[in-house]
Amino acid sequence: MKITGNTILITGGGSGIGRGLAEAFHALGNHVIIVGRRKPALDQVTAANPGMTSFTLDIEDPGSIRSFAAQLAKDYPALNVLINNAGIMRAENLQGAPVGLADAEAIINTNLLGPIRLTSALLPLLRKQSSSIIMNVSSGLAFVPMAVTPTYCATKAAIHSYTQSLRQQCKGTTTSVVELIPPYVGTELMSGGSSNPHAMPLDKFIAEVMGILKTQPDAAEICVENVKTFRFAAESGHYDAIFQRLNG
């Protein structure tokens, strides 16, 4: 992945990892387009980063995704990088009576169906470029789930699997597929996360990610050091111990 001279679309760009990536790529001279549900948050980011573009988009709505992608192709025909980052994370009590599915359905629509739909809608445009990238943001929890957020972890495991299949299907084309696997990063994905001392500071995470992209441009998976224990838990033979430590 080249890190300059791109036209980049980042979902969930109004806060957290999405904003961090948007500002890092913007500082390198890329044209960055951020989308999200909350216009005030998007406006705050673009005001702080002149030249960045933003659009509101409900990633849960298939119709909105289709119309947005069609308009984007007309207005930004040079778009060559898609970063599927938007996500929500909610605690769920699976033994609750009655078990409500509203949270689970929202998480699946946002974290899994949203990226699949947007990728499908934009792939024809990305294929027209001489070189293009699809980056899907999963999680260390795709590999060792946190039981209190079961649907979130399941969607991230699905994104990991989907990304591998998409990468295989795109072999021999001009489109490369990359997976960014964050650890627990200090954001407000869940309340209080930005101040949790156990979380990796957002600025350090973004700096390490950008360093990997610069020095390992052909990497299929972007893993900072803090996530490798989770990413390779099964391979290392320590899965059960790590699962129990996380969920104890």
Side-chain angles (χ1 to χ4, degrees):
M1 180 179 180
K2 64 174 185 176
I3 57 174
T4 61
N6 301 292
T7 301
I8 304 174
L9 175 67
I10 304 178
T11 66
S15 61
I17 290 173
R19 177 173 183 170
L21 290 172
E23 292 182 331
F25 280 115
H26 177 72
L28 292 171
N30 298 282
H31 180 196
V32 176
I33 304 164
I34 58 172
V35 298
R37 290 189 178 99
R38 298 176 296 132
K39 188 176 187 301
L42 298 172
D43 289 345
Q44 184 180 41
V45 178
T46 54
N49 298 274
M52 197 182 289
T53 306
S54 70
F55 296 96
T56 55
L57 174 66
D58 182 0
I59 201 70
E60 290 191 51
D61 182 0
S64 294
I65 290 175
R66 287 192 297 269
S67 59
F68 170 74
Q71 191 62 48
L72 199 70
K74 291 180 182 179
D75 295 344
Y76 301 96
L79 181 82
N80 68 318
V81 178
L82 166 63
I83 301 180
N84 285 307
N85 164 79
I88 57 175
M89 183 179 194
R90 295 173 186 169
E92 300 168 87
N93 178 8
L94 301 182
Q95 297 191 79
V99 177
L101 294 179
D103 281 346
E105 290 171 356
I107 293 165
I108 291 168
N109 278 325
T110 299
N111 296 9
L112 180 57
L113 292 177
I116 291 174
R117 288 166 175 155
L118 188 58
T119 297
S120 176
L122 289 176
L123 198 51
L125 174 60
L126 294 171
R127 284 181 177 144
K128 292 180 181 179
Q129 314 304 339
S130 59
S131 177
S132 60
I133 296 286
I134 298 169
M135 178 186 290
N136 291 330
V137 179
S138 63
S139 170
L141 297 179
F143 304 92
V144 183
M146 184 167 65
V148 73
T149 58
T151 305
Y152 174 86
C153 299
T155 59
K156 292 303 183 179
I159 282 292
H160 170 67
S161 177
Y162 172 78
T163 301
Q164 289 185 313
S165 297
L166 180 63
R167 183 183 301 123
Q168 181 66 24
Q169 291 199 20
C170 287
K171 274 191 173 181
T173 75
T174 57
T175 301
S176 298
V177 180
V178 179
E179 182 177 359
L180 173 59
I181 308 174
Y184 181 18
V185 178
T187 72
E188 287 301 313
L189 184 61
M190 288 192 79
S191 179
S194 60
S195 59
N196 192 310
H198 299 293
M200 183 177 186
L202 177 60
D203 58 345
K204 292 185 178 180
F205 170 71
I206 295 297
E208 191 170 346
V209 167
M210 299 307 293
I212 293 170
L213 291 174
K214 290 177 184 177
T215 58
Q216 302 175 45
D218 295 325
E221 293 184 358
I222 309 301
C223 297
V224 299
E225 287 299 319
N226 280 20
V227 82
K228 289 182 178 178
T229 298
F230 277 49
R231 169 61 184 90
F232 301 109
E235 291 88 336
S236 69
H238 297 129
Y239 177 89
D240 288 343
I242 295 169
F243 181 88
Q244 292 302 325
R245 186 170 71 241
L246 176 64
N247 292 292

